[in-house]
């Protein structure tokens, strides 16, 4: 079997697992994720439900002869769990699943939710990679965002992670905040570079509905702010490239060998199983690709047995399952996603892989859009297929829309 660590595309029998922890200390002002504060007893009950679900998911994966290539604890704030709870969840996976050689195992962490002892416990539980939500190294910006930590906590968290033995750390940073200047963003980038993490995710603030930020700024996000966003994006690319980070996706930068394998699987069509409240899945079932997500009703989730993982058709039977809103992906939908998700990666898409999956070259289906985008200098032919140019990445949403059939 081909090893899942090889360059994407990987073997069809590899799959990822996403585990959603929907709890946080305090809801951030910009956050529209499925997360909220919760009591310790609710967290305990949730971990028990997760263990039940993981057992059923892993039973299905074994039946399907799928091996686990990546595991990702996301949230919410996964580091809000006790070290023992993280260890129990990892033990459930190790006991019931078959891992690929050297799987990537990531846990999202927020500064202010860990101690040196918990950091060690997380490491001993089998977590190999941390994704730390710094967002900013400026206290006024952190306060504006509603984060529970301050700059000194962020720096201390990184130091504690290194002391605990983590040698694969990603930092999240957020640009184009209200009132943030280009100089402020430059200083954030310089601080991140000095820390020397293996990976940096640099996202522009998106103001979502049903958030505190939308109430404050949603109707006043101006064209001037969009232009500032573009300049900050360009600055990010230049500074991180000079510091030895390769941009492999629109907002993600890594040192050689450290790109996020789990996130890359979303962009390259590798199956993944989402466990937890509201989690999404993309699985192959008897030759059919299905996408669905789980209930957002916490009480329904806590009561579930999750045996419906072995009868995915039950999703169509109302009231039968916590797995909901299933979409059967047509060949056309899969081809669309291959193009507009794959082109998020700076290396672009491989024509040979398109042919392997769909039985024809991409030009047969998307010859018109490909030619149009090439003419406009937004897309280029590569040795393996096609990739967006710098201008194309800047106008990526426009480019992606061209591949909708």
């Amino acid at each position: 079997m081909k090893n899942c660590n090889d360059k994407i595309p990987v073997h069809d029998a590899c799959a990822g697992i996403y585990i959603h922890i929907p709890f946080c200390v305090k809801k951030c002002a910009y956050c529209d994720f499925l997360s909220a504060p919760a009591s310790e007893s609710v967290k305990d009950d949730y971990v028990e439900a997760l263990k039940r679900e993981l057992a059923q998911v892993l039973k299905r994966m074994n039946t399907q002869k799928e091996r686990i290539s990546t595991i990702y604890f996301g949230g919410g704030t996964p580091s809000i769990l006790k070290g023992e709870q993280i260890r129990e969840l990892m033990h459930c996976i190790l006991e019931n699943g078959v891992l690929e050689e050297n799987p990537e195992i990531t846990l999202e962490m927020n500064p202010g939710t860990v101690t040196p002892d918990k950091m060690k416990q997380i490491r001993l539980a089998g977590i190999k990679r941390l994704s730390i939500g710094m967002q900013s190294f400026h206290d006024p910006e952190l306060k504006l965002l509603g984060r529970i930590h301050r700059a000194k906590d962020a720096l201390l968290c990184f130091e504690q992670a290194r002391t605990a033995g983590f040698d694969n750390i990603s930092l999240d940073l957020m640009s184009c905040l209200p009132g943030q200047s280009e100089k402020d963003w430059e200083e954030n980038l310089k601080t991140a570079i000095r820390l020397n993490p293996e990976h940096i995710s640099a996202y522009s603030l998106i103001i979502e509905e049903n958030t505190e930020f939308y109430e404050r700024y949603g109707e006043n996000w101006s064209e001037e702010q969009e232009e500032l966003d573009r300049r900050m994006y360009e600055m990010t690319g230049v500074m991180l490239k000079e510091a030895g980070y390769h941009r492999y996706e629109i907002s993600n930068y890594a040192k050689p060998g450290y790109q996020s394998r789990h996130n890359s699987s979303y962009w390259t069509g590798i199956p993944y199983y989402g466990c937890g409240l509201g989690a999404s899945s993309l699985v192959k079932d008897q030759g059919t690709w299905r996408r669905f997500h789980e209930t957002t009703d916490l009480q329904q989730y806590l009561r579930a047995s999750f045996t419906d993982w072995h009868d995915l058709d039950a999703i169509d039977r109302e009231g039968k399952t916590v797995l909901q809103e299933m979409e059967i992906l047509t060949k056309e939908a899969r081809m669309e996603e291959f193009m507009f998700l794959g082109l998020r990666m700076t290396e672009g898409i491989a024509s040979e892989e398109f042919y392997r999956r769909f039985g024809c070259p991409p030009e047969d289906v998307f010859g018109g859009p490909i030619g149009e985008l090439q003419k406009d200098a937004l897309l280029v032919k590569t040795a393996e297929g096609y990739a967006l140019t710098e201008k194309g990445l800047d106008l990526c949403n426009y480019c992606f829309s061209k591949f909708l059939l």
Side-chain angles (χ1 to χ4, degrees), residues 107-303:
L107 181 132
E108 290 183 352
M109 174 178 291
N110 284 353
T113 63
V114 290
T115 62
D117 182 62
K118 183 189 278 192
M119 191 76 77
K120 292 176 184 177
Q121 291 181 46
I122 291 170
R123 177 71 175 168
L124 291 172
I127 304 299
K128 299 183 176 183
R129 180 177 182 270
L130 295 180
S131 178
I132 305 178
M134 303 294 195
Q135 312 310 346
S136 172
F137 295 102
H138 294 154
D139 284 345
E141 292 176 353
L142 291 168
K143 185 176 181 181
L144 174 73
L145 291 169
R147 304 293 286 175
I148 64 168
H149 72 277
R150 292 297 173 260
K152 64 178 183 180
D153 303 314
L155 299 174
L156 180 60
C157 180
F158 188 88
E159 179 184 339
Q160 291 171 344
R162 287 296 197 214
T163 300
F166 285 100
D167 56 7
N168 190 353
I169 301 175
S170 176
L171 303 185
D172 280 4
L173 296 175
M174 189 175 292
S175 65
C176 209
L177 307 181
Q180 185 182 54
S181 68
E182 289 180 72
K183 183 64 176 177
D184 294 333
W185 178 238
E186 181 182 14
E187 290 175 357
N188 275 328
L189 288 173
K190 286 181 177 179
T191 301
I193 290 168
R194 282 198 299 270
L195 291 176
N196 197 31
E198 286 67 36
H199 185 283
I200 295 175
S201 295
Y203 301 105
S204 300
L205 171 67
I206 298 176
I207 296 186
E208 305 284 3
E209 293 187 23
N210 302 315
T211 65
E212 188 179 327
F213 262 23
Y214 188 81
E215 295 178 7
R216 291 192 219 168
Y217 311 109
E219 302 299 328
N220 301 300
W221 214 238
S222 65
E223 291 183 9
E224 180 181 341
Q225 192 80 0
E226 292 177 6
E227 179 57 34
L228 176 62
D229 187 12
R230 184 171 288 107
R231 294 198 301 272
M232 288 181 174
Y233 180 74
E234 293 174 355
M235 179 195 300
T236 303
V238 171
M239 289 182 63
L240 293 184
K241 182 177 181 180
E242 290 177 352
Y245 293 88
H246 167 65
R247 181 175 63 178
Y248 68 95
E249 191 269 344
I250 292 172
S251 300
N252 287 277
Y253 305 76
K255 292 186 175 181
Y258 286 98
Q259 74 179 54
S260 169
R261 288 164 47 199
H262 184 86
N263 288 341
S264 295
S265 70
Y266 296 149
W267 304 316
T268 53
I270 297 172
Y272 55 89
Y273 291 80
C275 300
L277 199 68
S280 297
S281 298
L282 174 68
V283 303
K284 193 174 183 180
D285 183 54
Q286 299 180 1
T288 300
W289 286 87
R290 303 170 184 250
R291 177 183 288 114
F292 48 88
H293 69 258
E294 304 201 10
T295 180
T296 57
D297 183 325
L298 179 59
Q299 292 307 313
Q300 183 184 17
Y301 184 83
L302 295 179
R303 293 192 302 266

Side-chain angles (χ1 to χ4, degrees), residues 299-338:
Q299 292 307 313
Q300 183 184 17
Y301 184 83
L302 295 179
R303 293 192 302 266
S305 65
F306 305 104
T307 54
D308 40 330
W309 269 107
H310 306 291
D311 181 16
L312 295 183
D313 287 328
I315 298 173
D316 290 332
R317 298 196 287 274
E318 186 175 354
K320 174 76 175 177
T321 173
V322 295
L323 308 181
Q324 300 180 352
E325 296 186 17
M326 183 182 70
E327 174 190 6
I328 295 179
L329 297 182
T330 64
K331 182 178 180 180
E332 289 74 18
R334 290 172 53 220
M335 289 191 291
E336 289 176 351
E337 292 192 1
F338 183 96

